Structure formats: structure tokens, C-alpha cells
Amino acid sequence: MAKFCPLFSSSTGNSIYIGGGDDSLLIDAGMTAKQLEQSLYGIGVDADSIRSIFITHEHNDHIKGLKVFSKKHKVRAIMTEGTYKALSEAGALENVEEAVVITPEGVDLGCMLVRSFSTSHDSNEPCGYTVELANGRKIAVATDLGIMTDTV
């Protein structure tokens, strides 16, 4: 059974937990690692169970806890090429366990398939994500939309 839980959603920080089967992920890590851990604990999730953090874009309210959480829990960060470039240039990927650019095929986590789609925002290649479970159920997450596009 899948679990979807917004942990934080504001201009001070954003993060969403999605779990399905043996796999779990975060979309964005916009609060401190400690705050993320506490929020996960509050919904009965061990922070060490997170396998990946999918980043929507490079603004601080989406990546604030990325470095520390990734390193502490050995979690890879996945993002678009434009976001990867922006974060690399800013030094925001230093100490991140592993940083990966998402491909058009998406990322297969076993129990979930995650794909990105373009969104409109004042950042370098922002995106939203669809998460499809093995049973065919699907959820889409889009944050900080500038405009509602046909893709969204």
C-alpha cells in the first residue's frame, strides 16, 4: 500500500514523502536534515529507509537539508540536468552521497517508477514528478508553478 504525506509546504521549506512497498523517497528536502528526520519519525517512517531525494529545482526552500540528509542517510539526489548544473555551480552538491540526472525513461526504484515533467518557474529547468506504483496507481507532484501548462 502506498503512502503519500506532505511534510512541509511553504516558502520556508518543502518536502513530500512517498512510500510504496519496500521503496520510499522524498520530493525535495527544503528543511534541515533534523527537521526532515523529525517529520518522518512523526509519520512512522525511519529516515534510513529513504532511498532517493528527487529535487524539483535549486531554490533553497527545496534543497536546504539536501547535503546533510543525503550524507547522513546515504541517499542519492536525482534532478534534471539544468538543476544539476545550477546546484553544481553553487557548490550545493558537495558532500551529497550521489547526484544523478534523471533520464526521459525515469528512475525505476523497484516498487515505483519516477518520471519528471517540465514546469514553469524562475529557476534552471524546474520539474515536477510522477510516481507510478507497481499496481498502476499514479500520483503527480508539482510545486511553485508559474503557469499551468498542458503538460502539468
Side-chain angles (χ1 to χ4, degrees), residues 40-58:
L40 288 166
Y41 178 79
I43 62 168
V45 173
D46 182 349
D48 286 330
S49 72
I50 304 296
R51 295 182 51 191
S52 302
I53 300 172
F54 289 81
I55 303 297
T56 59
H57 62 284
E58 68 272 16

Side-chain angles (χ1 to χ4, degrees), residues 4-9 13-19 24-31 36 40 50 52-57 61-63 66 69 75-76 78 109 112-117 127-132 139-143:
F4 170 84
C5 187
L7 303 176
F8 300 99
S9 179
N14 296 275
S15 187
I16 296 169
Y17 167 82
I18 300 175
S24 60
L25 61 89
L26 292 178
I27 296 181
D28 290 330
M31 298 297 273
L36 291 167
L40 288 166
I50 304 296
S52 302
I53 300 172
F54 289 81
I55 303 297
T56 59
H57 62 284
D61 60 324
H62 294 264
I63 64 152
L66 177 62
F69 191 94
V75 176
R76 67 183 171 165
I78 301 169
L109 299 176
M112 295 184 277
L113 175 62
V114 183
R115 291 190 173 107
S116 65
F117 58 92
C127 72
Y129 292 100
T130 59
V131 180
E132 187 171 351
I139 188 167
V141 175
T143 65

Side-chain angles (χ1 to χ4, degrees), residues 84-143:
Y84 179 91
K85 182 179 177 189
L87 291 175
S88 292
E89 290 173 358
L93 296 178
E94 294 171 11
N95 297 321
V96 168
E97 181 69 17
E98 178 184 9
V100 178
V101 173
I102 194 165
T103 66
E105 294 78 29
V107 176
D108 189 344
L109 299 176
C111 293
M112 295 184 277
L113 175 62
V114 183
R115 291 190 173 107
S116 65
F117 58 92
S118 296
T119 60
S120 173
H121 188 48
D122 62 342
S123 59
N124 194 7
E125 200 180 2
C127 72
Y129 292 100
T130 59
V131 180
E132 187 171 351
L133 301 175
N135 66 7
R137 295 186 77 182
K138 189 185 233 183
I139 188 167
V141 175
T143 65

Side-chain angles (χ1 to χ4, degrees), residues 31-38 64-65 68-69 72-73:
M31 298 297 273
T32 67
K34 184 175 182 176
Q35 290 169 310
L36 291 167
E37 291 163 348
Q38 289 172 337
K64 184 177 186 177
V68 174
F69 191 94
K72 183 175 180 182
H73 299 285

